[in-house]
């Protein structure tokens, strides 16, 4: 093996959309749940999410629960109280 | 090669406590320290330490604290992880989801969870070697006593807040009730809040793994 094949220390490959080396979904104790009737699509949660876990799909906002750590910032910043933090074990999946 | 083949120690019991990083570090450490110190009072050989590989300075990250109790001098004292735990305790209920808490457990292992939910509800989320479990125990330790959030005592520094002042006391009481690894009297000599530890011992709900449909 030449030195060019040795990976640079302490790095993970640059992700396009996600990083399989740092899946943080099991850090979550409370899950964000969106009430679509209250949501005004202001996207303050989207810009505030530190892990960029909120997707803007065509049907409205969706949380990427594979990486969401349940920090609760989205629920805190939501001006219309559309996001609530629900205990994780209330869901089977 | 795993080190379990290196050391054949029939008298050794391993305790692993899973917790969430930073805000439950101390509680996890206190559970293993309280149980192992109580065993030391009974003349056992003991060891208690925290996992160095986990990321303890990130809030919510799953972290581990370990304890070893043996009748004989502990030969595997430099093995820095519990690879085959006999007792698994969780300071927080959601650790049953997505975290390999039952990894490597020995037959007859006991799971103790700090939760308001019943053992039946908790057992639905368990994956892995559930057929090796002997019992699932739940106790609302956080309801008995609030957790202590402090960095005092982290990384081996002097712990100013005492052992078992938070919900670790009731959780250790539930561990003692479920396993009988030490006597309740020995535990009460170690923990700071003796009433809370006794309440945890009394309120722990022990469910046999067979009755939960986990065995076989």
């Amino acid at each position: 093996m030449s030195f060019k094949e040795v990976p640079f220390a302490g790095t993970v490959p640059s992700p396009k959309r996600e990083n399989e080396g740092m899946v943080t979904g099991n850090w979550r104790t409370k899950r964000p749940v969106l009430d679509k009737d209250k949501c005004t699509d202001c996207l303050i949660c989207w810009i505030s999410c530190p892990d960029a876990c909120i997707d803007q799909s065509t049907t409205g906002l969706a949380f990427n629960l594979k990486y969401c750590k349940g920090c609760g910032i989205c629920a805190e910043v939501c001006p219309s109280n559309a996001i609530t933090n629900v205990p994780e074990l209330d869901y089977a999946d | 090669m795993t080190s379990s083949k290196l050391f054949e120690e029939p008298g050794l019991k391993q305790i692993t406590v899973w917790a969430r990083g930073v805000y439950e570090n101390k509680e996890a450490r206190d559970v293993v320290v309280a149980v192992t110190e109580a065993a030391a009072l009974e003349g056992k050989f003991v060891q208690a330490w925290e996992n160095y590989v986990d990321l303890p300075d990130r809030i919510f990250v799953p972290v581990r604290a370990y304890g070893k109790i043996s009748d004989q001098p502990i030969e595997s004292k430099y093995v820095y992880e519990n690879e085959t735990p006999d007792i698994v305790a969780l300071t927080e209920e959601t650790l049953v989801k997505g975290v390999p808490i039952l990894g490597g457990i020995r037959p007859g292992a006991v799971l103790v969870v700090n939760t308001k939910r019943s053992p039946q509800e908790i057992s639905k989320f368990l994956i892995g070697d559930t057929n090796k479990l002997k019992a699932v125990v739940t106790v609302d330790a956080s309801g008995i006593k609030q957790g202590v959030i402090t960095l005092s005592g982290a990384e081996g520094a002097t712990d100013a807040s005492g052992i078992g002042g938070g919900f670790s006391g009731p959780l250790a009481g539930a561990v003692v009730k479920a396993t009988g690894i030490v006597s309740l009297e020995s535990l009460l000599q170690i923990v700071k809040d003796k009433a809370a530890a006794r309440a945890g011992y009394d309120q722990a709900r022990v469910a046999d793994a067979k009755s939960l449909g986990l065995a076989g």
Side-chain angles (χ1 to χ4, degrees), chain B residues 135-207:
Chain B
V136 177
V137 184
T138 63
V139 61
D140 186 15
S142 298
I144 296 169
K145 191 80 193 282
Q146 217 174 6
V148 177
I149 299 177
T150 176
L151 289 178
S152 171
E155 310 242 344
T158 307
D159 195 338
S161 52
I163 297 167
F167 68 71
S168 54
L171 192 56
V175 168
V176 168
K177 182 178 187 179
T179 62
I181 192 156
V182 292
S183 70
L184 181 62
E185 286 67 35
S186 309
L187 181 74
L188 293 182
Q189 284 185 52
I190 300 294
V191 295
K192 193 176 168 189
D193 191 340
K194 299 175 197 319
R198 193 181 284 278
Y201 183 90
D202 292 336
Q203 294 176 24
R205 289 191 277 179
V206 183

Side-chain angles (χ1 to χ4, degrees), chain A residues 22 25-31 69-72 87-93, chain B residues 20 23 55 58-62 92-94 96-100 117 122 125:
Chain A
M22 199 62 189
N26 65 0
W27 296 22
R28 190 173 61 248
T29 63
K30 287 187 176 167
R31 173 182 294 201
K69 295 171 185 160
C71 67
E88 184 61 31
L89 290 199
D90 288 355
Y91 296 89
D93 61 325
Chain B
R20 294 285 176 190
Y23 76 106
L55 302 164
R58 272 114 170 123
I59 287 180
F60 291 148
V61 71
E92 204 268 326
E93 59 180 14
T94 55
V96 296
K97 259 172 103 169
V99 181
R117 294 167 205 265
I122 291 298
F125 293 100

